[in-house]
Amino acid sequence: MKDIEHVFFDLDHTLWDFEKNSDLAFQKVFNRNNITIELEVFLKTYKPVNFKYWKLFSEEKVTKSELRYGRLKDTFDVLNYTVSDDLIDEIAINYLEFLPDFNHLFDGTFEILDYLKEKYELHVITNGFDEVQHKKLKSSNIHHYFNKIITSESVGAKKPNPKVFNYALDLAKADKDNSIMIGDNLDADVQGALSVGMQAIYCNFENNTSINGEFISVNSLIEIKQYL
């Protein structure tokens, strides 16, 4: 890839191991609030519900508060576990409080960031909440690699909205022709970047075989070295 000067990373599910860290955060939340349902049973129901809400959130069909409440309320309802609205609110607060305390990263994160930092300006574009994402970056000791950190909350829009990518390019003083986006979400990260003229690398960690398009696909972070 020629002429690349700026590399933009997604955070969750790309560098920061959201699934592992989230599971650990919920274990801590359940212990704090004496939730008696088995964590594994809860998570099996919660994860697809959470995915649904994040999709709605990225499409700006639900608010942040509706996401935080709804994903928990719906999960407990499906499991027929009685919980008050006050406790749901407490769980939601605790979860976001505890989540950044865990800092598991995907294999190769430090190696690829060390490698790329010598050659490019690195940035983050994330749909996560502003305060939480900054805490994640700091607690996992990767904050210092990035020049600009752009959250959907700071922009007022969410990937794949072109406004997010154009805002990030302006903030980083980058041009679409010398910039590339790296992320795990085909719609939010890859297609979002391509729609504004950036190049893209898809982190295909789940080995999705039904993909095609004008972008590079890698199965591990280290594979990025082959292209940058």
Side-chain angles (χ1 to χ4, degrees):
M1 289 187 159
K2 296 180 180 180
D3 304 321
I4 296 296
E5 297 178 17
H6 296 267
V7 177
F8 294 84
F9 273 97
D10 174 51
L11 182 58
D12 295 333
H13 305 284
T14 299
L15 299 173
W16 198 80
D17 192 339
F18 182 89
E19 295 298 332
K20 182 179 291 187
N21 294 323
S22 178
D23 290 357
L24 291 168
F26 268 120
Q27 182 67 72
K28 190 173 179 180
V29 169
F30 276 29
N31 292 340
R32 165 72 68 86
N33 293 283
N34 299 312
I35 304 298
T36 57
I37 193 170
E38 289 186 23
L39 181 64
E40 186 176 344
V41 172
F42 171 84
L43 292 173
K44 186 175 181 180
T45 300
Y46 170 81
K47 289 181 180 181
V49 172
N50 183 50
F51 180 85
K52 178 190 75 174
Y53 269 92
W54 269 103
K55 188 173 188 301
L56 291 171
F57 183 66
S58 68
E59 295 168 351
E60 302 184 4
K61 294 178 179 178
V62 298
T63 65
K64 179 170 68 173
S65 60
E66 288 170 337
L67 180 152
R68 290 177 172 180
Y69 173 83
R71 61 187 178 181
L72 292 170
K73 173 64 173 172
D74 288 4
T75 300
F76 285 124
D77 284 350
V78 169
L79 296 172
N80 294 314
Y81 188 85
T82 302
V83 58
S84 69
D85 283 349
D86 286 344
L87 184 53
I88 288 177
D89 288 339
E90 184 68 17
I91 292 169
I93 291 168
N94 288 165
Y95 174 71
L96 292 178
E97 176 188 349
F98 297 153
L99 187 59
D101 292 342
F102 301 97
N103 53 24
H104 293 280
L105 301 169
F106 283 104
D107 288 342
T109 294
F110 287 111
E111 182 177 344
I112 196 62
L113 292 178
D114 283 334
Y115 168 79
L116 294 173
K117 188 65 173 175
E118 296 298 315
K119 304 171 67 177
Y120 309 99
E121 286 196 33
L122 307 184
H123 316 282
V124 168
I125 306 178
T126 171
N127 273 356
F129 306 133
D130 195 65
E131 183 180 358
V132 176
Q133 298 305 78
H134 280 277
K135 285 181 178 178
K136 288 177 184 176
L137 288 161
K138 289 175 181 176
S139 68
S140 57
N141 199 31
I142 58 174
H143 193 277
H144 64 283
Y145 285 102
F146 302 105
N147 295 329
K148 302 296 180 184
I149 298 165
I150 298 94
T151 67
S152 59
E153 216 166 19
S154 67
V155 181
K158 306 166 193 69
K159 296 179 293 183
N161 190 322
K163 181 180 178 180
V164 178
F165 295 94
N166 288 325
Y167 179 94
L169 291 169
D170 289 343
L171 188 66
K173 295 181 171 56
D175 185 87
K176 61 183 176 61
D177 295 324
N178 66 15
S179 300
I180 190 166
M181 179 72 198
I182 300 175
D184 72 292
N185 190 299
L186 276 174
D187 292 326
D189 300 317
V190 176
Q191 297 301 333
L194 294 176
S195 72
V196 300
M198 296 171 65
Q199 297 182 65
I201 293 178
Y202 172 45
C203 291
N204 187 14
F205 298 154
E206 301 296 325
N207 295 313
N208 180 3
T209 57
S210 59
I211 60 167
N212 59 75
E214 297 298 319
F215 56 86
I216 290 167
S217 176
V218 297
N219 297 122
S220 70
L221 289 171
I222 298 305
E223 281 185 52
I224 295 169
K225 286 186 177 183
Q226 299 175 24
Y227 304 100
L228 289 172

PDB file of all heavy atoms in Angstrom, residues 107-119:
ATOM      1  N   ASP A 107      -3.812 -10.992  20.508  1.00  0.00           N
ATOM      2  CA  ASP A 107      -2.423 -11.362  20.256  1.00  0.00           C
ATOM      3  C   ASP A 107      -1.827 -10.473  19.162  1.00  0.00           C
ATOM      4  O   ASP A 107      -2.454 -10.248  18.123  1.00  0.00           O
ATOM      5  CB  ASP A 107      -2.331 -12.829  19.808  1.00  0.00           C
ATOM      6  CG  ASP A 107      -2.609 -13.803  20.941  1.00  0.00           C
ATOM      7  OD1 ASP A 107      -2.542 -13.377  22.108  1.00  0.00           O
ATOM      8  OD2 ASP A 107      -2.877 -14.984  20.650  1.00  0.00           O
ATOM      9  N   GLY A 108      -0.638  -9.975  19.419  1.00  0.00           N
ATOM     10  CA  GLY A 108       0.065  -9.177  18.426  1.00  0.00           C
ATOM     11  C   GLY A 108      -0.201  -7.689  18.509  1.00  0.00           C
ATOM     12  O   GLY A 108       0.354  -6.922  17.707  1.00  0.00           O
ATOM     13  N   THR A 109      -1.011  -7.253  19.469  1.00  0.00           N
ATOM     14  CA  THR A 109      -1.355  -5.825  19.548  1.00  0.00           C
ATOM     15  C   THR A 109      -0.118  -4.959  19.741  1.00  0.00           C
ATOM     16  O   THR A 109       0.122  -4.011  18.975  1.00  0.00           O
ATOM     17  CB  THR A 109      -2.365  -5.556  20.679  1.00  0.00           C
ATOM     18  OG1 THR A 109      -3.616  -6.181  20.363  1.00  0.00           O
ATOM     19  CG2 THR A 109      -2.592  -4.060  20.858  1.00  0.00           C
ATOM     20  N   PHE A 110       0.687  -5.268  20.746  1.00  0.00           N
ATOM     21  CA  PHE A 110       1.871  -4.433  20.998  1.00  0.00           C
ATOM     22  C   PHE A 110       2.870  -4.533  19.846  1.00  0.00           C
ATOM     23  O   PHE A 110       3.471  -3.530  19.445  1.00  0.00           O
ATOM     24  CB  PHE A 110       2.539  -4.827  22.312  1.00  0.00           C
ATOM     25  CG  PHE A 110       1.778  -4.405  23.533  1.00  0.00           C
ATOM     26  CD1 PHE A 110       1.165  -5.340  24.355  1.00  0.00           C
ATOM     27  CD2 PHE A 110       1.652  -3.067  23.857  1.00  0.00           C
ATOM     28  CE1 PHE A 110       0.457  -4.952  25.486  1.00  0.00           C
ATOM     29  CE2 PHE A 110       0.946  -2.658  24.983  1.00  0.00           C
ATOM     30  CZ  PHE A 110       0.341  -3.607  25.799  1.00  0.00           C
ATOM     31  N   GLU A 111       3.023  -5.733  19.317  1.00  0.00           N
ATOM     32  CA  GLU A 111       3.987  -5.923  18.219  1.00  0.00           C
ATOM     33  C   GLU A 111       3.590  -5.104  16.997  1.00  0.00           C
ATOM     34  O   GLU A 111       4.434  -4.424  16.389  1.00  0.00           O
ATOM     35  CB  GLU A 111       4.077  -7.405  17.849  1.00  0.00           C
ATOM     36  CG  GLU A 111       5.102  -7.683  16.755  1.00  0.00           C
ATOM     37  CD  GLU A 111       5.238  -9.172  16.440  1.00  0.00           C
ATOM     38  OE1 GLU A 111       4.785 -10.003  17.260  1.00  0.00           O
ATOM     39  OE2 GLU A 111       5.801  -9.489  15.371  1.00  0.00           O
ATOM     40  N   ILE A 112       2.315  -5.146  16.623  1.00  0.00           N
ATOM     41  CA  ILE A 112       1.908  -4.421  15.419  1.00  0.00           C
ATOM     42  C   ILE A 112       1.918  -2.919  15.653  1.00  0.00           C
ATOM     43  O   ILE A 112       2.280  -2.135  14.761  1.00  0.00           O
ATOM     44  CB  ILE A 112       0.526  -4.903  14.906  1.00  0.00           C
ATOM     45  CG1 ILE A 112       0.296  -4.437  13.470  1.00  0.00           C
ATOM     46  CG2 ILE A 112      -0.606  -4.432  15.800  1.00  0.00           C
ATOM     47  CD1 ILE A 112       1.295  -4.972  12.462  1.00  0.00           C
ATOM     48  N   LEU A 113       1.559  -2.477  16.852  1.00  0.00           N
ATOM     49  CA  LEU A 113       1.586  -1.043  17.130  1.00  0.00           C
ATOM     50  C   LEU A 113       3.014  -0.509  17.178  1.00  0.00           C
ATOM     51  O   LEU A 113       3.294   0.588  16.679  1.00  0.00           O
ATOM     52  CB  LEU A 113       0.849  -0.739  18.436  1.00  0.00           C
ATOM     53  CG  LEU A 113      -0.664  -0.964  18.432  1.00  0.00           C
ATOM     54  CD1 LEU A 113      -1.254  -0.663  19.808  1.00  0.00           C
ATOM     55  CD2 LEU A 113      -1.349  -0.117  17.362  1.00  0.00           C
ATOM     56  N   ASP A 114       3.924  -1.279  17.758  1.00  0.00           N
ATOM     57  CA  ASP A 114       5.338  -0.881  17.757  1.00  0.00           C
ATOM     58  C   ASP A 114       5.861  -0.766  16.324  1.00  0.00           C
ATOM     59  O   ASP A 114       6.590   0.173  15.986  1.00  0.00           O
ATOM     60  CB  ASP A 114       6.181  -1.897  18.526  1.00  0.00           C
ATOM     61  CG  ASP A 114       6.062  -1.754  20.036  1.00  0.00           C
ATOM     62  OD1 ASP A 114       5.766  -0.635  20.499  1.00  0.00           O
ATOM     63  OD2 ASP A 114       6.254  -2.755  20.751  1.00  0.00           O
ATOM     64  N   TYR A 115       5.492  -1.729  15.517  1.00  0.00           N
ATOM     65  CA  TYR A 115       5.938  -1.761  14.112  1.00  0.00           C
ATOM     66  C   TYR A 115       5.376  -0.572  13.332  1.00  0.00           C
ATOM     67  O   TYR A 115       6.111   0.132  12.627  1.00  0.00           O
ATOM     68  CB  TYR A 115       5.493  -3.078  13.478  1.00  0.00           C
ATOM     69  CG  TYR A 115       5.628  -3.135  11.979  1.00  0.00           C
ATOM     70  CD1 TYR A 115       6.867  -3.383  11.377  1.00  0.00           C
ATOM     71  CD2 TYR A 115       4.517  -2.955  11.153  1.00  0.00           C
ATOM     72  CE1 TYR A 115       6.988  -3.440   9.990  1.00  0.00           C
ATOM     73  CE2 TYR A 115       4.628  -3.002   9.771  1.00  0.00           C
ATOM     74  CZ  TYR A 115       5.861  -3.247   9.196  1.00  0.00           C
ATOM     75  OH  TYR A 115       5.980  -3.301   7.824  1.00  0.00           O
ATOM     76  N   LEU A 116       4.083  -0.329  13.459  1.00  0.00           N
ATOM     77  CA  LEU A 116       3.441   0.728  12.688  1.00  0.00           C
ATOM     78  C   LEU A 116       3.813   2.124  13.173  1.00  0.00           C
ATOM     79  O   LEU A 116       3.906   3.065  12.380  1.00  0.00           O
ATOM     80  CB  LEU A 116       1.921   0.566  12.734  1.00  0.00           C
ATOM     81  CG  LEU A 116       1.351  -0.678  12.046  1.00  0.00           C
ATOM     82  CD1 LEU A 116      -0.151  -0.795  12.309  1.00  0.00           C
ATOM     83  CD2 LEU A 116       1.621  -0.653  10.542  1.00  0.00           C
ATOM     84  N   LYS A 117       4.041   2.266  14.483  1.00  0.00           N
ATOM     85  CA  LYS A 117       4.339   3.578  15.054  1.00  0.00           C
ATOM     86  C   LYS A 117       5.608   4.173  14.468  1.00  0.00           C
ATOM     87  O   LYS A 117       5.753   5.407  14.394  1.00  0.00           O
ATOM     88  CB  LYS A 117       4.472   3.459  16.578  1.00  0.00           C
ATOM     89  CG  LYS A 117       4.605   4.789  17.307  1.00  0.00           C
ATOM     90  CD  LYS A 117       3.357   5.639  17.177  1.00  0.00           C
ATOM     91  CE  LYS A 117       3.429   6.883  18.039  1.00  0.00           C
ATOM     92  NZ  LYS A 117       2.270   7.779  17.843  1.00  0.00           N
ATOM     93  N   GLU A 118       6.530   3.328  14.046  1.00  0.00           N
ATOM     94  CA  GLU A 118       7.783   3.795  13.443  1.00  0.00           C
ATOM     95  C   GLU A 118       7.583   4.351  12.037  1.00  0.00           C
ATOM     96  O   GLU A 118       8.430   5.071  11.523  1.00  0.00           O
ATOM     97  CB  GLU A 118       8.795   2.642  13.396  1.00  0.00           C
ATOM     98  CG  GLU A 118       9.233   2.128  14.753  1.00  0.00           C
ATOM     99  CD  GLU A 118       9.948   3.201  15.556  1.00  0.00           C
ATOM    100  OE1 GLU A 118      10.804   3.901  14.985  1.00  0.00           O
ATOM    101  OE2 GLU A 118       9.625   3.351  16.753  1.00  0.00           O
ATOM    102  N   LYS A 119       6.450   4.025  11.418  1.00  0.00           N
ATOM    103  CA  LYS A 119       6.251   4.363  10.009  1.00  0.00           C
ATOM    104  C   LYS A 119       5.084   5.314   9.741  1.00  0.00           C
ATOM    105  O   LYS A 119       5.068   6.007   8.727  1.00  0.00           O
ATOM    106  CB  LYS A 119       6.021   3.076   9.196  1.00  0.00           C
ATOM    107  CG  LYS A 119       7.132   2.042   9.344  1.00  0.00           C
ATOM    108  CD  LYS A 119       6.754   0.706   8.700  1.00  0.00           C
ATOM    109  CE  LYS A 119       6.659   0.819   7.201  1.00  0.00           C
ATOM    110  NZ  LYS A 119       6.363  -0.488   6.560  1.00  0.00           N
TER     111      LYS A 119
END
